[in-house]
Amino acid sequence: LGPQSALEIPEEGPPLGERLALAERFEVGARTELLLAAFLSEGCKACQAVEPGLRSLAREPILSVGVFDEVAHAEVWRELEVPGSPFALALDPDGTVLAKGSFNTLAQLESVLGTAERRRAAGVGAASSG
């Protein structure tokens, strides 16, 4: 595992290829290609460090970013079996999980998006059922 890659563990979080209703919580525009769900916790130093990067990513027209707090969105965390924070899910606009992982830096978060883009182009999300 290189320092620029997020840690994607198959058993953590929802399975790749699974379609999530979580997508309904995002604003999807005509140009939206990916949804990024970031799971953060109050008081988490790594979470605080990546928040400016998340705000920057949210300005990208092809990306819709949602932040899910451990307390305010506890039901989402439980339902998706989020292992801890910071954690990210990258989804197709239809809610299909393309990539996921624990991350500590913006570069690692961007690796989740890069993995999602590669899998989306290869049709991996559509071919997998979990």
Side-chain angles (χ1 to χ4, degrees):
L1 179 68
Q4 299 302 310
S5 299
L7 181 59
E8 183 176 273
I9 299 175
E11 298 80 26
E12 292 184 345
L16 294 176
E18 183 173 304
R19 187 173 280 171
L20 304 178
L22 182 69
E24 297 168 7
R25 294 180 178 235
F26 288 82
E27 287 187 34
V28 177
R31 296 179 58 195
T32 304
E33 294 179 16
L34 288 174
L35 310 178
L36 176 64
F39 295 86
L40 308 179
S41 301
E42 186 176 327
C44 164
K45 298 292 184 195
C47 298
Q48 292 169 0
V50 298
E51 284 177 344
L54 278 169
R55 286 192 296 275
S56 177
L57 288 173
R59 291 192 290 271
E60 294 292 328
I62 64 167
L63 190 62
S64 181
V65 177
V67 177
F68 298 89
D69 177 78
E70 184 176 17
V71 175
H73 303 102
E75 76 287 350
V76 175
W77 279 58
R78 278 191 303 276
E79 178 184 330
L80 300 179
E81 299 178 10
V82 173
S85 63
F87 186 78
L89 294 173
L91 314 168
D92 244 346
D94 71 357
T96 301
V97 179
L98 296 172
K100 60 185 178 178
S102 296
F103 66 97
N104 289 315
T105 65
L106 180 59
Q108 290 175 332
L109 179 58
E110 288 173 336
S111 79
V112 172
L113 294 171
T115 298
E117 288 173 340
R118 286 190 299 279
R119 288 178 178 159
R120 185 170 169 256
V124 172
S128 175
S129 62

